[in-house]
């Protein structure tokens, strides 16, 4: 099973990431435009169609919400405790906790989900919820802490409300609950956009990570990677068992708990000049090592039936 998952799911993901690395190296792609296409065009379409076509219940939404709240709280406690015990500076503590708490549930997590579950609407819905919650944490707590607590909280919340994903999620869920038919004039374009997610999102990710220098001398980078790729899935597994989740929702949540450090971690660190080198290395190393950890995690998830 391990070899099959590696060849059929995980390595195809990294082939596409590799294409992004190659294209960025030779052509210097416009990363700003690529990010906007992913964030404002493709991802909202995927989230909307996933929720609109799913059979997710309000009870399951509550369970996913509870899972994520407990998951992120536990990771916060673990990462903060480790950072304080190692006597990191306040700025480094913020960068370290971000590297553990903020994962790549969007342009990496959604493609993984689509390949593992063959586009199953319920699985996509679970991942869409996780991605929305993750975006909220990233652009509220993550932005606040990377500025050493000196950020304008009102501005942070306003910026989050400008994001399209929460509205796509809410609209898709509302139309689903109301059983409202979607005109073909809208349904077909949305499906075409959604089908581009895997290729475009992973090309973008490859183009983003290739710009990071390959310098791996900081111990903190390895500690962060262990917490992100090993402790994170362990916490996710315990919560799945604790909440009594089964089947596709349990599998999707466990896989979502093992994503590598999110690119936004590095973007925030660079934007606010807070340990940008550390943040870049955690993104790069955790993404590379995720070849192994994600393959193992998908194998384990197959037993949650």
């Amino acid at each position: 099973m391990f070899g099959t998952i590696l060849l059929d799911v995980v390595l195809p993901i990294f082939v596409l990431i590799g294409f992004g690395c190659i294209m960025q190296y030779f052509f210097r792609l416009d990363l700003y435009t690529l990010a906007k296409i992913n964030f404002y065009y493709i991802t909202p379409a995927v989230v909307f169609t996933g929720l609109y076509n799913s059979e997710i219940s309000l009870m399951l939404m509550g369970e996913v919400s509870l899972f994520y709240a407990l998951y992120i709280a536990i990771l916060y406690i673990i990462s903060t405790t480790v950072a304080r015990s190692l006597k990191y500076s306040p700025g480094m503590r913020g960068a370290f906790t971000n590297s553990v708490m903020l994962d790549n549930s969007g342009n990496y997590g959604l493609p993984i989900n689509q390949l593992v579950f063959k586009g199953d609407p319920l699985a996509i819905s679970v991942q869409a919820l996780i991605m929305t919650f993750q975006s909220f944490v990233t652009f509220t707590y993550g932005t606040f802490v990377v500025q050493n607590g000196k950020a304008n909280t009102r501005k942070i919340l306003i910026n989050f409300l400008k994001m399209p994903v929460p509205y796509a999620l809410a609209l898709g869920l509302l139309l689903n609950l109301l059983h409202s038919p979607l005109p073909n004039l809208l349904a077909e374009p949305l499906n075409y956009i959604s089908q581009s997610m895997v290729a475009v999102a992973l090309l973008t990710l490859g183009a983003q990570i290739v710009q990071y220098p390959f310098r791996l001398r900081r111990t903190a980078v390895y500690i962060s990677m262990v917490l992100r790729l090993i402790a994170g899935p362990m916490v996710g597994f315990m919560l799945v068992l604790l909440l009594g989740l089964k089947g596709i929702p349990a599998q999707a949540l466990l896989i979502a708990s093992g994503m590598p450090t999110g690119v936004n971690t590095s973007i925030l660190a660079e934007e606010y000049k807070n340990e940008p080198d550390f943040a870049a290395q955690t993104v790069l190393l955790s993404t590379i090592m995720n070849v192994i950890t994600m393959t193992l995690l998908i194998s384990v998830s197959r037993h949650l039936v």
Side-chain angles (χ1 to χ4, degrees), residues 14 63 94 104 112 125 175 192 211 228 235 242 255 277 296:
F14 281 86
E63 290 173 339
N104 206 343
I112 283 280
S125 299
L175 295 180
Y192 288 138
Q211 63 184 325
R228 176 64 260 153
V235 171
L242 179 66
I255 291 171
D277 185 67
L296 290 170

Side-chain angles (χ1 to χ4, degrees), residues 43-111:
T43 301
V46 173
V47 170
F48 174 85
T49 54
L51 266 294
Y52 179 76
N53 293 320
S54 79
E55 297 179 0
I56 191 169
S57 65
L58 293 177
M59 179 178 291
L60 179 56
M61 285 188 64
E63 290 173 339
V64 173
S65 302
L66 178 59
F67 171 93
Y68 187 79
L70 293 172
Y71 173 76
I72 208 70
I74 293 171
L75 286 187
Y76 170 78
I77 293 170
I78 292 173
S79 59
T80 302
T81 301
V82 171
R84 290 185 182 278
S85 67
L86 294 174
K87 297 181 171 57
Y88 290 154
S89 66
M92 182 59 187
R93 281 203 301 269
F96 185 83
T97 57
N98 272 358
S99 72
V100 177
M101 295 170 59
L102 310 183
D103 61 40
N104 206 343
S105 57
N107 62 352
Y108 183 85
L110 273 175

Side-chain angles (χ1 to χ4, degrees), residues 31-48 106-107 110 131 135 139 158-168 190 193-194 196-197 200-201 204 264:
L31 296 181
Y32 178 83
T33 300
L34 279 174
K36 293 299 182 187
I37 290 172
N38 278 280
F39 195 71
Y40 288 98
Y41 182 65
I42 298 176
T43 301
V46 173
V47 170
F48 174 85
N107 62 352
L110 273 175
M131 184 180 68
S135 296
F139 294 105
I158 290 174
N159 287 337
F160 175 76
L161 292 174
K162 293 179 180 178
M163 296 166 57
V165 170
Y167 301 106
L190 287 171
I193 297 170
S194 299
S196 70
M197 157 60 79
V200 179
T204 303
N264 282 327

Side-chain angles (χ1 to χ4, degrees), residues 1-280:
M1 181 182 290
F2 181 92
T4 301
I5 292 171
L6 181 64
L7 291 174
D8 292 347
V9 178
V10 179
L11 288 184
I13 288 283
F14 281 86
V15 167
L16 291 171
I17 292 174
F19 287 154
C21 294
I22 293 169
M23 291 194 69
Q24 174 64 10
Y25 180 80
F26 284 104
F27 302 114
R28 296 299 172 189
L29 304 177
D30 185 340
L31 296 181
Y32 178 83
T33 300
L34 279 174
K36 293 299 182 187
I37 290 172
N38 278 280
F39 195 71
Y40 288 98
Y41 182 65
I42 298 176
T43 301
V46 173
V47 170
F48 174 85
T49 54
L51 266 294
Y52 179 76
N53 293 320
S54 79
E55 297 179 0
I56 191 169
S57 65
L58 293 177
M59 179 178 291
L60 179 56
M61 285 188 64
E63 290 173 339
V64 173
S65 302
L66 178 59
F67 171 93
Y68 187 79
L70 293 172
Y71 173 76
I72 208 70
I74 293 171
L75 286 187
Y76 170 78
I77 293 170
I78 292 173
S79 59
T80 302
T81 301
V82 171
R84 290 185 182 278
S85 67
L86 294 174
K87 297 181 171 57
Y88 290 154
S89 66
M92 182 59 187
R93 281 203 301 269
F96 185 83
T97 57
N98 272 358
S99 72
V100 177
M101 295 170 59
L102 310 183
D103 61 40
N104 206 343
S105 57
N107 62 352
Y108 183 85
L110 273 175
I112 283 280
N113 182 285
Q114 288 193 330
L115 287 175
V116 172
F117 298 103
K118 311 301 181 185
D120 185 284
L122 181 58
I124 292 176
S125 299
V126 171
Q127 185 64 33
L129 285 170
I130 292 296
M131 184 180 68
T132 301
F133 297 148
Q134 178 69 206
S135 296
F136 179 76
V137 173
T138 299
F139 294 105
T140 53
Y141 170 81
T143 303
F144 184 79
V145 75
V146 82
Q147 297 179 67
N148 295 321
K150 299 176 183 178
N152 185 320
T153 306
R154 181 173 177 273
K155 183 177 179 181
I156 289 174
L157 290 174
I158 290 174
N159 287 337
F160 175 76
L161 292 174
K162 293 179 180 178
M163 296 166 57
V165 170
Y167 301 106
L169 186 148
L171 183 59
L173 179 63
L174 177 63
L175 295 180
N176 179 304
L177 294 175
L178 294 175
H179 303 289
S180 298
L182 196 64
N184 195 58
L185 179 66
L186 294 176
E188 283 301 313
L190 287 171
N191 286 332
Y192 288 138
I193 297 170
S194 299
Q195 290 166 10
S196 70
M197 157 60 79
V198 173
V200 179
L202 293 176
L203 180 139
T204 303
L205 177 59
Q208 288 172 326
I209 65 174
V210 77
Q211 63 184 325
Y212 302 144
F214 202 81
R215 298 191 301 270
L216 304 175
R217 300 174 183 174
R218 300 181 66 172
T219 305
V221 172
Y222 297 96
I223 298 173
S224 166
M225 183 191 68
V226 169
L227 295 182
R228 176 64 260 153
L229 298 183
I230 298 177
M234 290 176 65
V235 171
F237 185 72
M238 289 188 297
L239 289 175
V240 164
L241 297 180
L242 179 66
L243 297 175
L245 298 170
K246 302 289 184 181
I248 287 178
Q251 295 171 357
L253 287 172
L254 179 59
I255 291 171
S257 70
M259 298 300 161
T261 301
V263 173
N264 282 327
T265 302
S266 180
I267 293 173
L268 289 174
E270 188 69 43
E271 176 72 20
Y272 297 105
K273 308 303 178 187
N274 183 30
E275 301 290 344
D277 185 67
F278 164 79

